[in-house]
Amino acid sequence: SQKIEQNSEALNIQEGKTATLTCNYTNYSPAYLQWYRQDPGRGPVFLLLIRENEKEKRKERLKVTFDTTLKQSLFHITASQPADSATYLCALEKSGGFKTIFGAGTRLFVKA
Amino acid sequence: KAGVTQTPRYLIKTRGQQVTLSCSPISGHRSVSWYQQTPGQGLQFLFEYFSETQRNKGNFPGRFSGRQFSNSRSEMNVSTLELGDSALYLCASSRGGGSGDTQYFGPGTRLTVL
């Protein structure tokens, strides 16, 4: 069955460093891969989308890579700040599937 | 533009009861998806509606059902509640759904089953 794996352990980094989060998937061929941020007690917030034919996408301090051969996406936050502390979710969708599947998320803590 | 709203925000029910949750999407959005979020399973897809039609559903028992009205507002219903149904129920709206459409999530309804 289809499966998405994200680092189950929390990631602790120092302010100013680059945070790198991993999303691996199996038994799935997504047309789109998205990253969301979720703060405690709130719904997820969309950050970035990357298509299957794209290798990399950037938005301000965020960068996403997508390797369909490795079935992996990496999510980078450069010059991280304590305000970046949150849970980050990876989500996959097939073209015309009308269904998004989410990973369990990785909790990021950025220490000042 | 107002965001996605969900009511109620918190709900406590007992086993065997039924519950109805409501979701009002962003104005102009016609697709509404529902998710169940628990610490152990993460975000699990329940179903997606567009123009009052269910286009896809996840692997949940028939006790979980939903519907969408002509104004795109959506409700989900859970009958014969079980302890394991305790979770945060999130709805998300998008313009058309599918094709990588950005989903905008509501704050969720926290359901506790005793």
Side-chain angles (χ1 to χ4, degrees):
Chain A
S1 63
Q2 55 204 219
K3 195 174 178 182
I4 304 178
E5 289 184 346
Q6 296 187 249
N7 310 56
S8 57
E9 292 182 15
L11 181 62
N12 291 281
I13 65 166
Q14 201 66 35
E15 183 177 11
K17 300 292 186 184
T18 296
T20 298
L21 285 66
T22 304
C23 173
N24 294 296
Y25 59 93
T26 55
N27 298 323
Y28 205 76
S29 297
Y32 311 96
L33 188 147
Q34 302 181 40
W35 284 88
Y36 287 78
R37 168 187 172 137
Q38 186 174 24
D39 291 286
R42 311 189 92 165
V45 175
F46 170 78
L47 295 174
L48 276 171
L49 175 146
I50 188 165
R51 292 175 170 78
E52 61 179 333
N53 60 350
E54 297 176 316
K55 295 288 186 189
E56 182 180 298
K57 206 79 170 281
R58 291 174 187 261
K59 179 183 175 184
E60 298 171 352
R61 294 185 296 111
L62 309 179
K63 184 178 89 171
V64 173
T65 63
F66 193 10
D67 189 325
T68 55
T69 301
L70 290 178
K71 294 186 181 294
Q72 180 182 79
S73 174
L74 298 178
F75 177 76
H76 307 272
I77 306 175
T78 57
S80 58
Q81 306 164 0
D84 294 327
S85 298
T87 296
Y88 291 86
L89 305 169
C90 163
L92 307 179
E93 184 184 353
K94 290 187 177 184
S95 180
F98 312 120
K99 173 181 176 179
T100 305
I101 59 171
F102 282 80
T106 297
R107 189 78 200 268
L108 172 67
F109 293 97
V110 182
K111 293 179 286 189
Chain B
K1 202 183 229 187
V4 177
T5 57
Q6 291 186 247
T7 56
R9 292 292 313 279
Y10 302 91
L11 207 49
I12 299 175
K13 292 285 188 179
T14 56
R15 286 172 55 193
Q17 287 187 308
Q18 78 162 19
V19 66
T20 299
L21 312 182
S22 180
C23 172
S24 292
I26 290 172
S27 177
H29 286 191
R30 296 171 66 188
S31 169
V32 173
S33 296
W34 287 91
Y35 298 86
Q36 179 194 67
Q37 187 172 35
T38 58
Q41 298 293 318
L43 260 166
Q44 301 286 308
F45 173 82
L46 280 157
F47 24 67
E48 188 265 1
Y49 287 90
F50 179 85
S51 290
E52 302 178 68
T53 300
Q54 185 183 92
R55 294 193 295 190
N56 210 333
K57 63 176 297 192
N59 298 323
F60 279 83
R63 300 185 297 107
F64 291 81
S65 63
R67 60 178 176 167
Q68 186 180 36
F69 302 95
S70 58
N71 61 358
S72 294
R73 191 177 69 84
S74 178
E75 288 181 347
M76 68 162 279
N77 184 278
V78 188
S79 62
T80 319
L81 284 166
E82 300 177 359
L83 296 178
D85 296 333
S86 295
L88 180 67
Y89 290 88
L90 292 157
C91 85
S93 77
S94 62
R95 285 195 175 80
S99 301
D101 213 6
T102 298
Q103 294 185 71
Y104 296 85
F105 283 82
T109 295
R110 172 74 63 186
L111 172 65
T112 302
V113 182
L114 302 175

